[in-house]
Amino acid sequence: MNFSLTEEQKMIQEMTRDFAKTEIAPSAVERDKNSEFPAEIIKKMGELGLMGMMVDPKYDGAGMDTVSYCVAMMEISKVDAAVGVIMSVNNSLVNFGLQEWGSEFIKKKYLKPLARGEKLGAFALSEPEAGSDATHQQTTAVKDGDHWILNGMKNWITNGSTADYYIVMAQTDKEKRHHGITAFLVEKGTPGFTHGVPEDKLGIKSSDTCSLSFDNCRVPEENVLWEVGKGFNFAMNTLNGGRFGIASQAVGIAMASFEASVKYAKQRKTFGTEIANHQAIQFKIADMATKTEAAKLLTLQAAGLRDEGKPYIKEASMAKLFSSEVAVKNALEAIQIHGGYGYVREYLVERYLRDAKITEIYEGTSEIQRIIIGRQVLRD
Ligand code: COS
């Protein structure tokens, strides 16, 4: 098994590392403080092909593989995980599903501008009463001539107020449980479709998260994705792919915590020597290094399987589960190593903890990942 990156993948890694350092890092602290959406940065990322990384060039994407996408996500998220999640949702929760199961009409009209980064996408599955229990959709869609009429509410939607195009799951036949759920593409500005105010979150503060509301919102028949009744399968299959994005985001945060800790440990002195010389600190750093490397390898291995056209659901869930838990642990250890300095905003590590926590929750909690892995392992 070969774990080394190809020349092209290394180029993507260097390019995104450079971009993150020069374009994202300088404003990350201020944007976090002010919960300010990084509109200009996202625009530039679109120009670089980072918002449609795995989309076929035929649909204006960069045509790259999953491994390239993961290394890019790691570099971006290492500097700012909020920018990471905006990129991840557009690439893996929106573009991926449209490319795989969208009609030619959908791909030309919606996927192309999304892949160019001119438009931003959102994925709306969660509801006030349906988070992990996603088959329990309460939003309804009723057929009326050549339109569907949507009513209901979605919440915790990343890019909720800033997106242009939304993938929305709704119940079209309650009797059929998950086989009665359909996915729709809804444009911002459609009458009856509104969004709430952005949530005041613990972390990833410069990404926007809000609720969506549908009040007799008319969506044309041609905006049905895949086919009527396939919406839950659409969502599940899309989320399988989305886990690469969040696993990579978590690896990025884990790397940031580790690197900050190494730097600080070499500078800070106690008892007459740099704290890096104390075994208590060395052990922490050794554990952080080992776990970060393991999370990275698990993620790249899962991505490699997908690129080879092999089954990857279990591995993607393992990568998401493990990397998100490593991100939280590393951030906690980074704060411990920094002592009081780790607890104040002047040093970045407190943000890493705030940003890391959500990776254990969104796109399937750690508990959901364990369900998916457990079922797969026991079935194999
Ligand atoms: N990939 C593809 N299909 C999947 C799947 C997966 N990982 N998990 C379930 N499915 C399919 C099943 O094959 C089944 O389809 P068919 O009936 O056509 O065969 C269907 O989904 C229902 O599966 P199941 O009966 O197992 O449903 P459950 O309610 O028991 O559990 C879980 C489904 C818990 C796996 C699902 O609800 C889930 O993933 N929840 C988390 C949702 C989530 O990630 N939310 C985050 C918000 S989006 S940011």
Side-chain angles (χ1 to χ4, degrees):
M1 197 174 272
N2 184 5
F3 284 117
S4 49
L5 299 179
T6 63
E7 283 310 308
E8 197 187 346
Q9 290 160 351
K10 277 189 208 154
M11 236 172 61
I12 300 296
Q13 188 178 42
E14 275 161 34
M15 185 271 279
T16 44
R17 188 176 294 159
D18 218 44
F19 179 81
K21 194 171 154 201
T22 54
E23 301 284 342
I24 303 178
S27 55
V29 171
E30 274 311 292
R31 278 184 291 98
D32 171 68
K33 207 187 261 177
N34 303 325
S35 299
E36 185 190 332
F37 187 78
E40 273 309 303
I41 290 170
I42 297 299
K43 190 164 164 261
K44 286 183 188 164
M45 285 169 66
E47 287 159 10
L48 288 173
L50 295 174
M51 298 306 280
M53 285 191 75
M54 294 172 291
V55 175
D56 192 323
K58 189 171 140 194
Y59 299 110
D60 296 347
M64 289 176 202
D65 58 13
T66 316
V67 170
S68 300
Y69 169 58
C70 289
V71 294
M73 269 295 300
M74 287 173 194
E75 292 301 327
I76 300 287
S77 304
K78 188 167 95 174
V79 168
D80 189 342
V83 174
V85 72
I86 300 165
M87 173 179 167
S88 176
V89 165
N90 204 70
N91 275 279
S92 26
L93 288 191
V94 179
N95 290 346
F96 171 66
L98 298 187
Q99 173 154 275
E100 290 293 311
W101 300 287
S103 63
E104 204 50 33
F105 163 78
I106 289 280
K107 288 181 197 175
K108 284 192 178 135
K109 183 167 179 190
Y110 299 110
L111 178 59
K112 280 183 161 200
L114 283 163
R116 289 194 299 266
E118 291 164 10
K119 299 284 183 190
L120 189 63
F123 179 85
L125 176 67
S126 295
E127 298 187 353
E129 301 294 326
S132 290
D133 185 7
T135 59
H136 207 67
Q137 297 284 298
Q138 301 293 301
T139 297
T140 57
V142 176
K143 191 84 192 282
D144 180 34
D146 55 2
H147 279 70
W148 288 85
I149 303 177
L150 269 63
N151 279 289
M153 193 153 181
K154 297 285 173 183
N155 67 348
W156 316 130
I157 308 305
T158 304
N159 301 339
S161 72
T162 43
D164 303 282
Y165 304 145
Y166 298 73
I167 293 177
V168 181
M169 266 51 71
Q171 190 66 253
T172 45
D173 187 343
K174 228 178 172 71
E175 299 301 307
K176 293 187 178 162
R177 197 176 162 254
H178 66 276
H179 289 130
I181 295 171
T182 302
F184 297 89
L185 193 139
V186 185
E187 286 189 41
K188 179 182 248 163
T190 307
F193 171 34
T194 51
H195 61 76
V197 292
E199 304 287 351
D200 185 9
K201 305 188 295 286
L202 176 71
I204 53 162
K205 288 179 81 74
S206 69
S207 74
D208 105 86
T209 309
C210 62
S211 61
L212 310 178
S213 186
F214 301 90
D215 181 12
N216 290 323
C217 171
R218 290 175 70 82
V219 178
E221 171 75 33
E222 62 261 29
N223 282 22
V224 166
L225 301 172
W226 200 349
E227 56 188 74
V228 174
K230 287 278 194 189
F232 191 73
N233 299 83
F234 177 94
M236 289 297 108
N237 286 309
T238 302
L239 281 166
N240 290 332
R243 296 194 176 117
F244 293 108
I246 303 307
S248 305
Q249 183 198 29
V251 171
I253 302 169
M255 283 157 60
S257 294
F258 166 69
E259 288 179 18
S261 299
V262 169
K263 189 172 165 209
Y264 185 76
K266 286 182 177 173
Q267 289 166 355
R268 170 76 174 167
K269 286 186 178 168
T270 61
F271 305 102
T273 184
E274 287 79 18
I275 61 170
N277 294 324
H278 300 311
Q279 208 171 46
I281 302 298
Q282 289 169 1
F283 281 7
K284 285 187 193 303
I285 289 192
D287 283 348
M288 289 166 89
T290 307
K291 285 179 188 150
T292 307
E293 195 61 20
K296 190 171 158 188
L297 288 176
L298 209 49
T299 303
L300 293 180
Q301 182 201 239
L305 287 175
R306 188 207 220 182
D307 288 337
E308 289 167 18
K310 294 184 178 153
Y312 63 83
I313 296 176
K314 178 181 70 186
E315 289 76 7
S317 275
M318 285 174 166
K320 200 261 183 191
L321 170 66
F322 188 75
S323 305
S324 58
E325 294 188 350
V326 168
V328 172
K329 283 194 189 110
N330 271 15
L332 280 167
E333 286 296 47
I335 292 176
Q336 194 67 19
I337 290 168
H338 282 71
Y341 294 103
Y343 203 65
V344 294
R345 280 191 183 236
E346 194 188 338
Y347 285 73
L348 296 176
V349 290
E350 62 84 34
R351 171 160 64 89
Y352 300 154
L353 180 63
R354 290 189 287 106
D355 288 352
K357 185 58 204 168
I358 191 63
T359 65
E360 293 183 319
I361 300 172
Y362 59 20
E363 294 193 29
T365 59
S366 293
E367 291 73 17
I368 288 291
Q369 303 313 322
R370 288 186 165 91
I371 290 176
I372 296 169
I373 298 162
R375 284 179 180 181
Q376 292 259 339
V377 167
L378 292 165
R379 204 195 55 195
D380 289 347

